[in-house]
């Protein structure tokens, strides 16, 4: 399975205090292995997809909804040209009730804290699917009517609603979705025991997070393996089998992505960017950059500037 560094909507970050953001794509869509700190609702409208959740793969061949909890490692690849999907990323913190309201204690707070979970999949044969799809379609329609569009690096578009009125209607739609799930008995308590897949995904997620938070410094593989509690050689094999590249290659690839971002958006000198991105040997930086991008850093900056004109 082909892997890429996701340099787009970074995992672990909030969506600019928006209640929700809609992503839509079609055709050869590919969302690299990553995660987010907000819950996500995917609507696989048509075509087929290869979905990976916490290192477990499943193939989707018919229309369905998929709820992905915060912190879940996920990768999505469209397998057919007629594929079309939507992803709604939403913030449950915007759906707070007063402490005295029974709904806050029985439903909303457990959802926000992860003690109560959304169903993983809802298919066309499930009771409540039509009602859920009707409400989701209304939210999608509203994004299309009033949403601000912007492209995303993994393919497709991002749409967001800004006005207070649209945000209020968006919250109402999210509450309707949750209400239907509760009425149909689809909300479930979190499993107390963490399975092998979840443990492995947690180790991988924490390793990636450490790399992305410390890429400007020297990172030793032995430190990553010690943090994960795994033997160094086993950790290297596990990481490569999961990500598709060795820890060192991943570290360098992520540093190159950050360097590309700096080359596009700053006037810093190349050697300054190299050092800030964790490359302390300018020759090694240029070699790795050219190997990854096909051009030197200076040429990349020039081509990026011409593309913006």
């Amino acid at each position: 399975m082909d892997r890429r560094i996701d340099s787009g909507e970074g995992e672990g970050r909030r969506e600019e205090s928006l209640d929700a953001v809609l992503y839509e794509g079609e055709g050869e869509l590919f969302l690299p292995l990553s995660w987010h700190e907000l819950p996500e609702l995917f609507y696989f409208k048509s075509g087929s997809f290869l979905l990976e959740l916490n290192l477990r793969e499943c193939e989707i061949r018919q229309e369905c909804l998929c709820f992905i909890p915060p912190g879940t490692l996920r990768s999505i690849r469209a397998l057919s040209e007629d594929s079309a999907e939507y992803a709604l990323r939403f913030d449950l913190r915007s759906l707070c009730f007063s402490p005295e309201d029974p709904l806050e204690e029985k439903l909303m707070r457990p959802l926000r804290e992860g003690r109560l979970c959304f169903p993983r999949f809802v298919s066309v044969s499930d009771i409540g699917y039509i009602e859920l799809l009707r409400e989701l379609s209304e939210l999608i329609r509203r994004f299309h009517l009033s949403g601000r569009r912007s492209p995303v690096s993994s393919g497709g578009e991002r749409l967001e609603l800004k006005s207070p009125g649209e945000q209020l209607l968006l919250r109402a739609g999210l509450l309707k979705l949750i209400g239907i799930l509760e009425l149909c008995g689809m909300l479930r308590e979190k499993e107390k025991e963490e399975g092998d897949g979840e443990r492995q995904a947690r180790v991988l997620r924490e390793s990636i997070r450490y790399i992305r938070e410390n890429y400007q410094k020297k990172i030793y593989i032995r430190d990553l393996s010690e943090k994960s509690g795994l033997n160094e050689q086993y950790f290297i094999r596990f990481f490569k089998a999961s990500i598709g590249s060795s820890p060192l290659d991943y570290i360098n690839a992520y540093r190159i992505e950050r360097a590309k971002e700096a080359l596009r958006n700053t006037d810093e000198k190349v050697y300054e960017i190299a050092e800030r991105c964790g490359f302390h040997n300018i020759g090694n930086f240029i070699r790795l950059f050219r190997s990854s991008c096909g051009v030197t850093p200076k040429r990349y900056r020039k081509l990026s500037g011409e593309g913006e004109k």
Side-chain angles (χ1 to χ4, degrees):
M1 190 174 179
D2 183 28
R3 311 282 188 182
R4 295 187 300 179
I5 299 294
D6 184 6
S7 60
E9 295 64 47
E11 56 292 319
R13 295 197 298 239
R14 298 292 184 182
E15 290 287 358
E16 303 171 0
S17 299
L18 296 175
D19 291 345
V21 176
L22 180 75
Y23 295 86
E24 62 178 7
E26 58 184 16
E28 300 299 321
L29 182 74
F30 175 47
L31 180 64
L33 189 70
S34 189
W35 76 93
H36 205 275
E37 299 296 345
L38 296 178
E40 298 172 296
L41 168 57
F42 282 85
Y43 171 35
F44 297 105
K45 183 178 181 181
S46 62
S48 57
F49 300 83
L50 184 64
L51 174 65
E52 183 177 2
L53 299 175
N54 281 345
L55 309 182
R56 295 183 179 180
E57 291 184 349
C58 66
E59 196 166 326
I60 295 174
R61 294 188 173 275
Q62 63 176 0
E63 177 184 343
C64 70
L65 302 175
C66 175
F67 288 89
I68 299 183
T72 300
L73 282 174
R74 80 282 193 272
S75 173
I76 301 172
R77 179 193 296 276
L79 299 177
S80 55
E81 294 183 356
D82 63 339
S83 297
E85 58 93 21
Y86 298 89
L88 182 66
R89 187 176 295 160
F90 53 96
D91 193 343
L92 287 169
R93 296 174 306 170
S94 67
L95 305 177
C96 295
F97 290 76
S98 68
E100 296 79 16
D101 194 318
L103 287 175
E104 175 68 14
E105 182 65 28
K106 295 179 180 179
L107 184 60
M108 301 312 299
R109 187 184 300 162
L111 276 174
R112 291 196 303 274
E113 295 177 352
R115 291 182 283 118
L116 198 60
C117 302
F118 294 107
R120 180 55 55 88
F121 292 100
V122 185
S123 66
V124 293
S125 60
D126 289 324
I127 295 175
Y129 181 84
I130 299 301
E131 289 82 0
L132 287 170
L133 187 57
R134 184 184 300 120
E135 295 302 332
L136 179 59
S137 297
E138 175 59 25
L139 286 177
I140 293 172
R141 185 187 72 84
R142 190 160 298 283
F143 274 102
H144 282 168
L145 284 175
S146 309
R148 189 177 71 182
R149 294 174 177 265
S150 58
V152 293
S153 59
S154 54
E157 287 187 308
R158 161 183 167 137
L159 297 89
E160 55 189 61
L161 299 170
K162 289 289 192 178
S163 74
E166 294 292 352
Q167 289 282 300
L168 189 60
L169 291 173
L170 176 57
R171 293 186 188 188
L174 291 172
L175 286 171
K176 284 185 178 181
L177 288 174
I178 293 172
I180 294 168
L181 291 169
E182 201 283 330
L183 284 172
C184 295
M186 295 185 186
L187 300 178
R188 55 187 175 81
E189 292 186 3
K190 181 180 180 180
E191 297 179 3
K192 292 182 173 58
E193 293 297 325
E194 186 182 44
D196 290 340
E198 285 74 18
R199 281 194 292 270
Q200 291 175 342
R202 176 172 51 79
V203 167
L204 191 60
R205 187 172 58 248
E206 290 174 356
S207 299
I208 293 174
R209 191 193 302 275
Y210 180 84
I211 291 170
R212 297 190 174 194
E213 290 177 351
N214 296 276
Y215 70 94
Q216 297 172 313
K217 311 172 186 176
K218 285 188 176 181
I219 299 177
Y220 297 97
I221 305 304
R222 65 173 179 270
D223 293 335
L224 289 172
S225 64
E226 288 175 2
K227 289 179 181 298
S228 69
L230 300 175
N231 171 274
E232 185 172 341
Q233 292 303 313
Y234 179 83
F235 172 79
I236 292 172
R237 292 196 299 271
F238 164 68
F239 192 98
K240 186 171 184 177
S242 303
I243 297 296
S245 62
S246 69
L248 180 59
D249 288 342
Y250 183 91
I251 292 167
N252 285 332
Y254 187 74
R255 286 169 169 165
I256 292 294
E257 288 297 326
R258 300 282 71 80
K260 287 164 62 178
E261 182 181 324
L263 288 165
R264 292 193 304 267
N265 301 321
T266 75
D267 294 324
E268 290 181 272
K269 296 183 183 300
V270 170
Y271 75 86
E272 292 175 335
I273 291 174
E275 187 171 349
R276 183 163 63 82
C277 292
F279 294 102
H280 302 289
N281 182 310
I282 187 65
N284 186 45
F285 168 65
I286 293 174
R287 179 181 61 81
L288 288 171
F289 193 98
R290 181 159 28 199
S291 175
S292 174
C293 304
V295 294
T296 64
K298 287 185 177 180
R299 181 62 177 164
Y300 178 86
R301 170 175 272 168
K302 185 175 186 299
L303 292 173
S304 298
E306 292 173 353
E308 293 174 357
K309 294 180 182 178

